[in-house]
């Protein structure tokens, strides 16, 4: 059996969603929204900027590359981590393989996870790896919730080790109503909606990819986005 997927369809929608969560956290927009609901008019003090921030992007597929381009356009310093060697794109300042991850985490102001769910990504960001992250840094996750130890993330934000987190995915999903994650102030969370069809362009891209592969199949041509069953990634 040959299996293909819709790689290339979600980059725009998910990367914009992740970028929005990042801006929300560093500009304290989530706090100001809470203040608005409570009718509180006051400054919440200093904010941060993407400019000159070191942004570590773990997973340089379509989503990670789109996010890196946005960060690069605003003057952020982009560090990419991926599974296989390749040429460094212009929008990536430094490029490494996965085995360098632990050495890079202490340097990054922002860590963005754009990973699928495979045997190699399960709890990739464990308690020990989150502890390696820079004091006051931010974790973003739009891949799969299982790549992050949820309890360890809660501990890191509540203790102040991490400034905050922006997550569109969580483990488990849906999140139980009594989970402490709901009430942590500096965690911005959405219910796995960034890559759905809320952006019409995503649906159109999926349709185009599927139609192109159908034409290729009928004409006996090589298909795009063929899945490697050993890794779970596109070959």
């Amino acid at each position: 059996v040959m299996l293909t997927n819709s790689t290339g369809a979600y980059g725009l929608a998910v990367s914009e969603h992740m970028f929005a969560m990042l801006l929300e956290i560093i500009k304290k927009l989530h706090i100001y929204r809470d203040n608005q609901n409570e009718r509180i008019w006051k400054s919440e003090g200093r904010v941060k900027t993407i400019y000159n921030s070191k942004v570590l992007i773990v997973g340089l597929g379509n989503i990670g590359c789109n996010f890196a381009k946005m960060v690069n356009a605003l003057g952020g310093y982009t560090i990419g981590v991926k599974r296989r060697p390749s040429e460094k794109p212009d929008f990536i300042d430094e490029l490494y393989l996965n085995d360098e991850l632990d050495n890079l985490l202490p340097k990054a102001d922002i860590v963005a996870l754009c990973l699928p769910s495979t045997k190699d990504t399960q709890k990739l960001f464990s308690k020990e790896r989150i502890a390696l992250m820079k004091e006051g840094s931010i974790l973003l996750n739009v891949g799969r919730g299982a790549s992050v130890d949820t309890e360890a993330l809660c501990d890191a934000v509540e203790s102040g080790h991490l400034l905050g987190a922006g997550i569109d995915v969580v483990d488990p999903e849906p999140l139980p109503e009594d989970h402490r994650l709901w009430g942590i102030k500096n965690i911005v969370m959405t219910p796995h909606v960034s890559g759905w069809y809320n952006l019409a362009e995503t649906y159109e891209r999926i349709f185009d990819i599927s139609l192109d592969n159908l034409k290729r199949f009928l004409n006996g041509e090589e298909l795009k986005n063929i899945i490697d069953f050993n890794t779970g990634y596109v070959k």
Side-chain angles (χ1 to χ4, degrees):
V1 175
M2 187 181 296
L3 177 68
T4 66
N5 72 6
S6 52
T7 291
Y10 297 97
L12 176 64
V14 179
S15 61
E16 284 188 347
H17 190 98
M18 180 163 50
F19 197 74
M21 289 194 297
L22 174 58
L23 286 173
E24 182 173 0
I25 294 167
I26 66 174
K27 300 305 180 184
K28 299 183 177 179
L29 301 184
H30 59 301
I31 297 175
Y32 284 112
R33 179 63 181 184
D34 290 344
N35 287 353
Q36 179 181 341
N37 288 334
E38 297 296 327
R39 304 176 189 271
I40 298 172
W41 182 277
K42 73 169 185 176
S43 169
E44 291 294 343
R46 293 186 175 183
V47 296
K48 294 181 177 290
T49 180
I50 294 172
Y51 180 75
N52 275 344
S53 294
K54 289 186 177 180
V55 184
L56 177 62
I57 300 113
V58 185
L60 282 181
N62 185 239
I63 295 169
C65 285
N66 271 272
F67 180 72
K69 290 175 184 177
M70 295 178 193
V71 169
N72 181 264
L74 267 68
Y77 189 86
T78 53
I79 305 170
V81 173
K82 58 181 303 188
R83 292 183 304 124
R84 298 180 295 194
S86 66
E87 286 191 27
K88 183 179 73 64
D90 292 340
F91 50 84
I92 295 291
D93 294 299
E94 296 181 28
L95 183 60
Y96 298 92
L97 296 180
N98 288 348
D99 57 5
E100 288 294 322
L101 179 58
D102 288 352
N103 296 325
L104 297 169
L105 286 173
K107 305 174 184 179
D109 301 297
I110 299 154
V111 177
L113 306 184
C114 310
L115 299 168
S117 179
T118 70
K119 58 182 177 60
D120 295 325
T121 62
Q122 299 296 306
K123 295 294 188 290
L124 181 68
F125 271 67
S126 59
K127 178 179 180 180
E128 293 74 21
R129 189 155 274 142
I130 291 174
L132 292 176
M133 292 177 61
K134 184 178 180 180
E135 191 84 17
S137 60
I138 295 168
L139 179 67
L140 304 172
N141 187 17
V142 294
R144 288 294 183 269
S147 62
V148 175
D149 184 324
T150 303
E151 297 304 324
L153 175 62
C154 291
D155 290 341
V157 176
E158 286 185 326
S159 69
H161 175 65
L162 297 185
L163 172 65
I167 54 175
D168 182 50
V169 290
V170 67
D171 184 28
E173 289 184 10
L175 189 67
E177 291 182 3
D178 60 350
H179 199 286
R180 61 172 170 151
L181 189 58
W182 291 105
I184 299 178
K185 187 175 185 179
N186 273 358
I187 292 184
V188 174
M189 178 173 58
T190 50
H192 206 150
V193 294
S194 65
W196 194 238
Y197 301 139
N198 294 325
L199 182 67
E201 178 71 17
T202 301
Y203 186 86
E204 295 299 327
R205 291 185 178 198
I206 292 173
F207 184 86
D208 288 343
I209 292 168
S210 302
L211 183 60
D212 180 51
N213 257 350
L214 178 58
K215 289 178 179 177
R216 288 170 176 269
F217 179 78
L218 294 175
N219 292 327
E221 300 172 356
E222 183 179 355
L223 302 184
K224 292 183 177 180
N225 296 346
I226 297 175
I227 299 297
D228 182 341
F229 289 111
N230 292 319
T231 65
Y233 289 86
V234 170
K235 290 182 179 180

